Every structure is written in structure tokens, then in C-alpha cells.
Amino acid sequence: MRLLALIAAAFLMACSDSSAGTAQEAGEPAALPDGQARAILASGCFWCTEADFERLDGVIDVVSGFTGGHVENPEYRQVVNGNTGHVEAVEIIYDPQIVSYEALLHHYWRNVDPFDGGGQFCDRGAAYAPAIFTLDEAQRAAAEASAAEVEARFGQPLAVRIREAEIFWPAEDYHQNYAANNPIRYQRYRFGCRRDQRLREIWGNEAGGY
């Protein structure tokens, strides 16, 4: 369970119960307008992953949610308790004329601990394992090439899995835009989790990707 999550969960319990039905129906994702594309990435806490990508030029929307598991329409508490097989992830809708998929991957690596497959930062367990979920062969090729570059740079194997995309289930409403809607609580969590400190240890001045 993430640091301070119990406090946040207690505060937001009523919201959780009333908004759990926001996940999409099973099946193919909705078609995107012309000129838009989709990416699905996991780097631990989806509050942080969402915030890390929302500021990128060319990113249209970022949705926090769950993917990779065996339960339909999972709820947050089910996922973090390890009962569904899902990981916390984000769905990124972007304009490839402004930001390429390769650029998203470059940004992703600089916001993840690529050597920790048991979770990310203070968040432990399979629900927080890092992964790149590829939607087609072009994304898989780009992901594998970017992973090879990172592995060569550090000279050690990576723990980030490259997986075929599965159904993405949006999380409850109170998880969406969490950093913007709860800035003080979010910053306390992020600092307490030592996310940025660890990223600087790995990436130095490149940490954060900006």
C-alpha cells in the first residue's frame, strides 16, 4: 500500500464507493479522432505517472487506471490488495505530429526506476510493477529499441516488462487528475515516497525528462 494511501482512502471512501462505475465496458477501446494516438504505460503510482505526462507538449489527455489483470472493471482496493493481477497504469492520448511515441518512451524511462520490478519507489508489490503495454508491432519495436538503449547505457538488465496491451480500465473518479485536484496531499506523498530523489540517483540531471 502506498505511503499515506490509508489516510487518503479514509478521506475519500465515500467518493470511491459512489464513482466505482467509471470504468469502460469490456471490449475494444473507443476509436480516437483522426490525428490522435494512444499509449499505455506503468511506472508505479498512477497519480505520479499521470502528472509526469500531463505536462508534455502534444499530450491531449492522461487517464489513470488498471490493466494486465483477470478481473473485469476492477476497483482500486482490489488491485492494490493484489487480487486482480492488474497493475496501476495510465492511458495517454497524444498527437503524434507534436510528440512521437519514441519521445513518450524517452520521457517514460526518465520517470521510472528501470531496475525495480517489485514495485516502484515506496510502493511495493505486483500492482506497482513497471511495464510498457504495446498496442501494435510498431510500438513493440520502438519499446524494445528504447529498452536496449537504456540497458546498454547502464550495463545491467532492466526490470521493466514489455507486454502486449490488454483492456485498460479507468480508475475511480477521485484518482483522476489527482495531483492537480489534491496538490498538497500529492506533494507530501511524492516527497515521502522519495520518487524524485531516486530518479536523480539514476538519471542525474535527466531525471523527470524535462
Side-chain angles (χ1 to χ4, degrees), residues 113-159:
D113 181 344
F115 312 114
D116 187 357
Q120 285 286 287
F121 313 101
C122 68
D123 297 318
R124 313 313 306 160
Y128 301 104
I132 299 170
F133 292 88
T134 60
L135 291 153
D136 53 36
E137 287 303 315
Q139 285 194 357
R140 172 166 284 276
E144 290 175 348
S146 71
E149 290 178 1
V150 174
E151 192 168 46
R153 171 174 174 161
F154 291 102
Q156 62 184 98
L158 306 181

Side-chain angles (χ1 to χ4, degrees), residues 190-202:
R190 185 166 182 132
F191 180 81
C193 207
R194 297 187 59 81
R195 188 180 184 100
D196 296 305
Q197 296 94 317
R198 175 58 179 157
L199 289 174
R200 286 192 294 270
E201 289 175 4
I202 300 168

Side-chain angles (χ1 to χ4, degrees), residues 152-169:
R153 171 174 174 161
F154 291 102
Q156 62 184 98
L158 306 181
V160 174
R161 293 183 59 194
I162 298 173
R163 303 174 57 181
E164 183 176 348
E166 301 181 39
I167 295 174
F168 178 87
W169 302 94

Side-chain angles (χ1 to χ4, degrees), residues 18 37 45 49 60 67 70 73 75-76 124 130 165 179 198 202:
S18 65
C45 165
T49 311
I60 297 165
T67 194
H70 54 80
N73 200 6
E75 296 182 3
Y76 170 74
R124 313 313 306 160
R198 175 58 179 157
I202 300 168

